[in-house]
Structures are given as C-alpha cells and as structure tokens.
Amino acid sequence: MKGIYYLFLVTVLVVVTTACQEATYVPKPKGYNRIELPDHQYRAIDDFYPYQFEYSQQATVVPDTSWMSEPYWIHLVYEDLGADVQLTYKDLNYNQQKLRELLQDSYKLTSKHQIKAYSIDERILKTPKGHTAVVTELSGEVPSQFQFFSTDSSRHFLRGALYFPSATKNDSLQPIIEYIKVDIIHMLNTLEWKKS
C-alpha cells in the first residue's frame, strides 16, 4: 500500500510541477498563399479594334467605361488572379506633336511612381512583327508594377499598365506579376496595326 501511495505522490508532484511551468509561445512564421497558375494559352482579340493581338485566355476583354475613356480603350481583366491590364489607344493621324505629347505623358505617368519605387527598369523591345515597344518594370510597393507602350510613330499609339485593385503587398503578388508579364510580352510580340 505504501508503494502505491508513493507512486501516487510522485505522479501528482510531476503533474503539478510540469503544469505550473510557463509555456513559451512562438509565433508562426509569415506565410504566403499558394497560387496555382494555369498554363499560358492565347486567343485573338476581336476584329472590332484598330489593333490586333493575342491575349491570355485567363483574361476577359472589358470596355473602359470611365468618364475619360475613349474609343478602343479596354481592360484585360484577370478575375481569378485579381489583376487588370488597362489599355489605352490613340489614333495619331500622322501628327508628330501628338506623338511627342503621348510619349511625354507615358514617361510622366511612370515617373509618378518614383516616390515608392525601389527601381524602375526600362527596356526597348523589337517585336517579331518589326514593331518597337517600351516596357517598364517597377519594383517596390507601387500601384502599377509593369507598364508599356508601342507605336508605329505615324498612325497608332497603344499604352498599357498592370494593376492589382487590392491591398496585398507586391512581394506576395510576385508570381502573378511574373505570369502576367509573360502574357503582356506575348501580346506585344503579336501586336499588329490595322490599315484603315
């Protein structure tokens, strides 16, 4: 009986001493959502526009309905990815002054991000169709991480910018940004101007 009493006493003592110890809590490490990105597949935009290109099958073409929109301004909305590529089109009509103004506006819109951007990397691309395109990648917590424009310098001017209408940090969005950049480069590589 004495043995059972000692065993009971030791068990109670062990339980009491271990229960009274302070627990050390360690926060969970910061995690990111797993994003499943589909394969890149493309389709041609409708013949309605003065430009022609292939865009992602993950995107939907939505007309721009803002108060300042003009004909042929559209959004390529990636609903599942929460992204929006806004495209604006201008008919130059051989007006070199208008071209200079549009180029200045494009650089001005990009430079507005300098306050929050860690870096702004601009490249000039020559597309397989023989067109020139300027693409700008912006790093940091900026509203638009990728901007671009292309022109034939006489009739057509197309500008675009990638936006995410969310408060999610750009480092979390990086896989989606890289995915959509591939789609935009494909769009620029297949861009053609229609003859009027």
Side-chain angles (χ1 to χ4, degrees), residues 108-159:
K108 197 182 296 182
L109 287 168
T110 301
S111 69
K112 283 184 178 181
H113 298 292
Q114 286 179 337
I115 296 168
K116 291 191 172 191
Y118 302 141
S119 70
I120 299 176
D121 181 27
E122 181 181 283
R123 287 178 285 149
I124 299 173
L125 303 177
K126 197 71 161 170
T127 69
K129 305 278 185 185
H131 303 302
T132 301
V134 176
V135 297
T136 307
E137 294 186 54
L138 298 101
S139 301
E141 293 306 317
V142 292
S144 176
Q145 302 80 9
F146 197 74
Q147 299 183 15
F148 57 94
F149 67 83
S150 184
T151 181
D152 65 356
S153 300
S154 58
R155 295 288 318 273
H156 307 279
F157 187 90
L158 184 71
R159 183 181 188 285

Side-chain angles (χ1 to χ4, degrees), residues 6-194:
Y6 285 120
L7 181 62
F8 176 74
L9 188 60
V10 169
T11 306
V12 168
L13 187 61
V14 168
V15 169
V16 169
T17 56
T18 56
C20 293
Q21 291 179 353
E22 285 188 32
T24 305
Y25 294 100
V26 178
K28 289 184 178 181
K30 192 174 190 176
Y32 299 104
N33 294 333
R34 180 181 170 93
I35 301 169
E36 295 289 334
L37 297 171
D39 292 335
H40 294 280
Q41 296 178 335
Y42 302 100
R43 61 182 160 207
I45 196 164
D46 292 339
D47 281 341
F48 169 74
Y49 302 99
Y51 45 82
Q52 193 68 37
F53 57 74
E54 292 181 358
Y55 69 100
S56 175
Q57 287 188 2
Q58 301 304 314
T60 305
V61 176
V62 177
D64 188 335
T65 57
S66 66
W67 64 270
M68 62 184 197
S69 68
E70 295 182 19
Y72 314 118
W73 287 24
I74 61 172
H75 296 255
L76 298 176
V77 178
Y78 290 78
E79 194 169 320
D80 291 343
L81 302 177
D84 181 11
V85 179
Q86 299 177 7
L87 297 173
T88 57
Y89 170 81
K90 295 281 191 173
D91 183 355
L92 296 176
N93 200 23
Y94 301 101
N95 185 337
Q96 292 301 301
Q97 178 60 31
K98 187 174 185 179
L99 174 62
R100 281 190 290 276
E101 289 170 3
L102 290 170
L103 291 172
Q104 286 175 351
D105 285 348
S106 292
Y107 288 115
K108 197 182 296 182
L109 287 168
T110 301
S111 69
K112 283 184 178 181
H113 298 292
Q114 286 179 337
I115 296 168
K116 291 191 172 191
Y118 302 141
S119 70
I120 299 176
D121 181 27
E122 181 181 283
R123 287 178 285 149
I124 299 173
L125 303 177
K126 197 71 161 170
T127 69
K129 305 278 185 185
H131 303 302
T132 301
V134 176
V135 297
T136 307
E137 294 186 54
L138 298 101
S139 301
E141 293 306 317
V142 292
S144 176
Q145 302 80 9
F146 197 74
Q147 299 183 15
F148 57 94
F149 67 83
S150 184
T151 181
D152 65 356
S153 300
S154 58
R155 295 288 318 273
H156 307 279
F157 187 90
L158 184 71
R159 183 181 188 285
L162 169 63
Y163 290 97
F164 289 89
S166 78
T168 307
K169 298 281 189 188
N170 286 346
D171 58 351
S172 299
L173 295 171
Q174 198 59 39
I176 299 172
I177 294 168
E178 294 300 320
Y179 177 85
I180 295 175
K181 278 178 9 185
V182 170
D183 290 346
I184 291 171
I185 297 300
H186 181 84
M187 183 187 80
L188 290 170
N189 283 333
T190 58
L191 176 65
E192 292 185 73
W193 308 115
K194 285 192 185 167

